[in-house]
Amino acid sequence: MGGIAPFPNLKRFVVPLVYPLDDDVLFRGNSTTLERLTIDLDKDTVAMLNKYRVFESKQKALRIVSIGEPGEDADLAH
């Protein structure tokens, strides 16, 4: 996919399972629009987020982050 931003206007991102990819493609191009993130974290997801510095001042609009452990029910109502 290279430099393509698949969801440039994404405001809410709910991942009710372990992040399914090994790169940051779903976070690309939405740093000024992504406001809410619900995600389960395992060691591979944490490593990927760190590798691509997803939260290192890139997500300017992000205001709410809900973090769970794999296997927990994601809070999809909010």
Side-chain angles (χ1 to χ4, degrees):
M1 269 190 142
I4 296 174
F7 304 104
N9 297 313
L10 187 67
K11 288 188 173 205
R12 183 173 177 210
F13 185 23
V14 176
V15 186
L17 55 130
V18 175
Y19 187 79
L21 305 170
D22 62 357
D23 65 15
D24 67 334
V25 67
L26 297 180
F27 291 96
R28 293 180 197 161
N30 54 36
S31 65
T32 60
T33 61
L34 184 62
E35 298 173 352
R36 178 178 222 135
L37 172 66
T38 301
I39 191 169
D40 286 349
L41 293 179
D42 66 355
K43 65 180 184 168
D44 294 329
T45 304
V46 171
M48 181 279 301
L49 293 170
N50 285 331
K51 177 180 178 181
Y52 293 99
R53 299 178 176 182
V54 170
F55 298 117
E56 192 171 292
S57 73
K58 289 183 180 179
Q59 298 298 331
K60 296 169 180 60
L62 194 60
R63 299 292 179 255
I64 299 172
V65 178
S66 299
I67 299 172
E69 293 182 30
E72 288 184 347
D73 290 333
D75 182 6
L76 302 178
H78 290 88

